Amino acid sequence: GSGKVNIGCTVKVYDVDFDEEMEFKLVGSTEANSLENKISNESPVGAALIGAAKGDIIEIETPNGEMIKYEVMSVSR
């Protein structure tokens, strides 16, 4: 693996503003299920995570215009 986020990866991120860790599995839009922490590659968070690697800081603009800042903690398949 390249260590870069892609569909099928499980990504652990640290939310800088809320001081908490979260884990997502990146899936295609038909498999997305927020209750199972499966997010679509087409969602704002999923799209921002694609291509990111451990240690990267990504910023995502939410639909209501707020900015979320995540640090990528780990990427696994």
Side-chain angles (χ1 to χ4, degrees):
S2 66
K4 299 243 188 247
V5 177
N6 213 325
I7 291 178
C9 287
T10 298
V11 186
K12 189 178 285 187
V13 297
Y14 171 70
D15 185 321
V16 175
D17 295 320
F18 289 98
D19 188 31
E20 65 181 0
E21 288 185 11
M22 292 174 287
E23 196 169 81
F24 303 115
K25 182 170 175 83
L26 210 60
V27 297
S29 56
T30 57
E31 298 176 69
N33 181 337
S34 61
L35 297 177
E36 297 176 11
N37 288 340
K38 292 181 178 178
I39 60 170
S40 165
N41 62 311
E42 296 172 16
S43 70
V45 173
L49 283 169
I50 293 279
K54 181 179 177 180
D56 286 356
I57 304 265
I58 58 165
E59 291 190 8
I60 304 127
E61 186 170 349
T62 64
N64 64 3
E66 289 182 49
M67 292 301 285
I68 303 172
K69 197 183 281 188
Y70 289 153
E71 179 179 349
V72 179
M73 308 289 288
S74 67
V75 180
S76 58
R77 281 226 163 260

